């Protein structure tokens, strides 16, 4: 909810509702805040739109139009700051402490998410190597890696590597590269496996260039049934 951060008055209106013993109408809130009812109504509408306040119709106490009242949404204040990077550091540092198995566990986790995140092919259709690389590049772009697929030295139709010019987890990768980069490699492997692509990601070279990491691609040997292994 952004409104309470932007408007001290709106935060005051919300505080009045939270301090009340029950639902309040516009006039009651205006009286407690000390401003015109139209001002209160404006902020109440914004709080309702933000999901911080519920609007209700009170039970009629006699003849006339039922009164509209407001109550705060139960739960914690959702306007505070977040610290997801700290949470990521806590979790990644714990995984990194697992020792030799940390990279393998991170790659396996990345594979599962890669299978989940990739845009699938239509039914009964296998992608070409070029189509597979395009879908993988699109996924990496959506995730914020700023990827560029590059053809191989022999100029084949499918790229042999993808240059990643941005890392959405850069600070974590610099500190816990064994884990974070393994997740990235697993994401690519899982996505290509889900597509039943004739390509796989064989490696990831972190910071291989001053401004980029390099993901390496290679053909997959088909199985006896002619399908790429999953």
């Amino acid at each position: 909810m952004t409104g309470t951060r932007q408007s001290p008055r709106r935060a005051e209106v919300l505080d009045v509702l939270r301090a009340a013993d029950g639902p309040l109408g516009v006039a009651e809130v205006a009286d407690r805040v000390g401003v015109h009812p139209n001002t209160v109504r404006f902020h109440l509408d914004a709080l309702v739109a933000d999901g911080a306040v519920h609007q209700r119709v009170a039970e009629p106490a006699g003849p006339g139009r039922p009164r509209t009242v407001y109550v705060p949404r139960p739960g914690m204040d959702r306007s505070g700051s977040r610290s997801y990077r700290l949470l990521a550091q806590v979790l990644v540092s714990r995984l990194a402490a697992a020792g030799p198995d940390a990279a393998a566990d991170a790659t396996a986790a990345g594979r599962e998410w890669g299978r989940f995140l990739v845009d699938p092919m239509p039914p009964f259709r296998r992608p070409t190597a070029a189509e597979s690389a395009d879908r993988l590049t699109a996924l990496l772009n959506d995730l914020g890696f700023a990827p560029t697929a590059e053809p191989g030295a022999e100029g084949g139709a499918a790229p042999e590597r993808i240059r990643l010019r941005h890392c959405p987890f850069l600070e974590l990768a610099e500190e816990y590269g064994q884990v974070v980069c393994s997740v990235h490699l697993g994401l690519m492997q899982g996505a290509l496996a889900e597509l039943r692509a004739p390509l796989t990601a064989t490696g990831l070279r972190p910071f291989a260039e001053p401004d980029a990491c390099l993901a390496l691609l290679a053909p997959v040997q088909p199985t006896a049934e002619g399908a790429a292994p999953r």
Side-chain angles (χ1 to χ4, degrees), residues 11-210:
E12 187 178 5
V13 169
L14 183 57
D15 287 342
V16 165
L17 291 174
R18 286 174 173 159
D21 294 332
L24 297 178
V26 172
E28 295 166 303
V29 176
D31 183 62
R32 300 185 188 195
V33 175
V35 297
H36 194 278
N38 286 345
T39 301
V40 166
R41 186 175 288 106
F42 168 76
H43 290 299
L44 285 171
D45 288 344
L47 289 168
V48 170
D50 283 344
V53 168
H54 294 304
Q55 183 182 38
R56 299 177 181 173
V57 176
E59 291 292 332
R65 186 175 181 178
R67 192 168 65 110
T68 300
V69 295
Y70 300 84
V71 293
R73 174 183 174 180
M76 297 183 67
D77 181 5
R78 305 181 69 85
S79 65
S81 61
R82 305 291 191 267
S83 186
Y84 294 118
R85 180 178 169 185
L86 175 59
L87 175 61
Q89 286 179 301
V90 171
L91 298 177
V92 170
S93 64
R94 177 65 184 90
L95 183 56
D101 294 333
D105 290 343
T107 303
R111 287 194 192 104
E112 293 301 317
W113 277 94
R115 290 179 182 274
F116 172 72
L117 292 171
V118 71
D119 185 17
M121 294 292 296
F124 313 114
R125 184 159 178 264
R126 288 278 306 282
T128 65
E131 289 173 330
S132 303
D134 286 345
R135 294 202 175 222
L136 176 59
T137 303
L139 171 61
L140 293 172
N141 188 60
D142 289 342
L143 295 175
F145 286 94
T148 302
E150 299 183 345
E154 298 180 2
E160 293 183 2
R161 66 183 188 178
I162 298 176
R163 176 176 278 106
L164 307 174
R165 292 174 285 111
H166 179 263
C167 178
F169 316 110
L170 180 59
E171 290 79 12
L172 289 175
E174 290 173 337
E175 188 172 0
Y176 302 105
Q178 178 190 25
V179 171
V180 176
C181 296
S182 295
V183 171
H184 297 167
L185 177 61
L187 279 170
M188 292 183 279
Q189 291 175 342
L192 291 169
E194 184 66 21
L195 294 171
R196 299 173 66 239
L199 290 176
T200 189
T202 58
L204 177 63
R205 295 178 182 171
F207 313 112
E209 300 177 357

